[in-house]
Amino acid sequence: MKKIILFILVFSSTLSFAQITLYHTVYVNSEDQSKFEMVERDYMSKLAQKAVNDGKFIYWALEKVLQPSNAIGGEVNHQLVGNWYQFVIVYSDMKAYLNAGQWWNDTDNLLGVPQELLSYKVKQGGMYLWHIKDSSMVPGAKFSAYNFGFSEEPSKFIESQKEYKVFFENMNKTNQNGRAGWVSGVRVSPKNFGEHNVMTWDGFLTLEDAMNHWTNWVESKKEYKKIHLPNGFDLKTIAAKIAETSAPSN
């Protein structure tokens, strides 16, 4: 119980500041996924945990995109063909992001295996840097629902999310509807007009909870206009956590 309380305090206090989150996407064919997940889960996560313990960043995770099961970014996202994955790294601020260094190099031989055993086949996607503006976090989320859109006035979109935060905070406290976290943010890079520049994230305990979130989602032009997102969230994805770090123990 003490460790759980510590995690909540550390994670919620750090998320009260303006954080920087990096999403690094890769595409992995179905036949290569077993080794890819094993290497990241059993080996590379150790280097990520060391980086967290050393204060280089706050959090690292690998997520597998499960929905939608169609073409995303020119590649079919389907279990019979291949899936998009993303590495999620949360930094305390921009300075931490710029000074993290090549933490993935095993200079201390922590992994204890030859580098060639850790190689795998992936197709590189993109790297997207986001500025987290607000959040409501509780531990336990195993599935992520992302909502991306374009707003001509991203600051007004962020302002409009404050009332939603209060609503989700109350739900998160008791995991109502399987909820375990909420975040809103704006994109830092790449920064091109017309591309996705605002997002929200919802954490859930189970895949069913995440899918029910979609089932109960009421699309409303009036509601989207209210949050300064006239075309709505035109990309929604659901991802499963394959591996993640924990808060450093003190």
Side-chain angles (χ1 to χ4, degrees):
M1 178 63 73
K2 185 176 181 181
K3 288 185 177 180
I4 293 176
I5 294 174
L6 175 63
F7 180 86
I8 295 172
L9 290 174
V10 171
F11 210 59
S12 61
S13 63
T14 53
L15 277 172
S16 64
F17 298 96
Q19 292 182 333
I20 296 295
T21 298
L22 175 69
Y23 295 99
H24 173 196
T25 62
V26 296
Y27 185 80
V28 187
N29 292 328
S30 295
E31 62 269 22
D32 300 318
Q33 290 182 10
S34 179
K35 183 176 182 181
F36 170 70
E37 292 185 13
M38 181 275 292
V39 168
E40 293 298 332
R41 181 186 62 247
D42 298 344
Y43 292 97
M44 300 307 292
S45 64
K46 295 180 181 179
L47 297 181
Q49 186 63 60
K50 182 178 185 300
V52 169
N53 295 341
D54 292 343
K56 293 183 180 296
F57 46 76
I58 298 169
Y59 176 79
W60 171 97
L62 172 66
E63 296 185 325
K64 179 179 182 178
V65 179
L66 304 178
Q67 295 288 338
S69 55
N70 57 7
I72 305 175
E75 299 288 352
V76 176
N77 190 72
H78 192 282
Q79 60 182 349
L80 297 179
V81 182
N83 289 86
W84 283 101
Y85 290 76
Q86 64 181 11
F87 296 98
V88 183
I89 308 178
V90 181
Y91 300 86
S92 59
D93 52 29
M94 184 63 74
K95 183 177 180 179
Y97 164 72
L98 294 173
N99 290 285
Q102 296 184 346
W103 58 267
W104 54 88
N105 287 334
D106 190 15
T107 56
D108 298 328
N109 197 29
L110 176 67
L111 304 182
V113 295
Q115 186 64 39
E116 55 267 25
L117 294 181
L118 302 179
S119 62
Y120 46 60
K121 296 180 181 179
V122 300
K123 175 184 176 181
Q124 294 295 328
M127 290 192 179
Y128 305 92
L129 207 60
W130 288 81
H131 189 178
I132 303 305
K133 291 291 189 176
D134 211 349
S135 64
S136 170
M137 298 298 297
V138 293
K142 296 301 179 184
F143 294 87
S144 299
Y146 291 93
N147 311 294
F148 298 97
F150 171 75
S151 174
E152 292 189 1
E153 299 180 276
S155 62
K156 290 186 177 180
F157 168 83
I158 294 299
E159 183 67 23
S160 73
Q161 295 302 298
K162 290 184 177 179
E163 65 178 84
Y164 296 96
K165 176 184 177 180
V166 175
F167 176 70
F168 292 136
E169 274 182 334
N170 292 329
M171 297 182 74
N172 290 337
K173 290 176 183 178
T174 58
N175 296 126
Q176 184 179 342
N177 296 336
R179 284 191 165 272
W182 171 89
V183 158
S184 67
V186 297
R187 195 161 87 175
V188 176
S189 176
K191 208 173 189 70
N192 301 313
F193 188 83
E195 294 185 354
H196 295 140
N197 63 355
V198 296
M199 60 89 75
T200 63
W201 168 88
D202 298 278
F204 292 95
L205 300 177
T206 71
L207 179 57
E208 183 179 1
D209 293 326
M211 293 299 292
N212 283 337
H213 167 66
W214 275 9
T215 301
N216 298 324
W217 187 304
V218 179
E219 301 284 355
S220 168
K221 186 174 182 179
K222 180 180 179 180
E223 189 70 17
Y224 282 140
K225 185 176 181 180
K226 174 184 174 183
I227 63 175
H228 303 275
L229 205 65
N231 295 320
F233 292 109
D234 60 352
L235 176 61
K236 306 182 187 76
T237 65
I238 291 176
K241 290 187 180 181
I242 304 301
E244 65 179 334
T245 56
S246 59
S249 57
N250 295 320

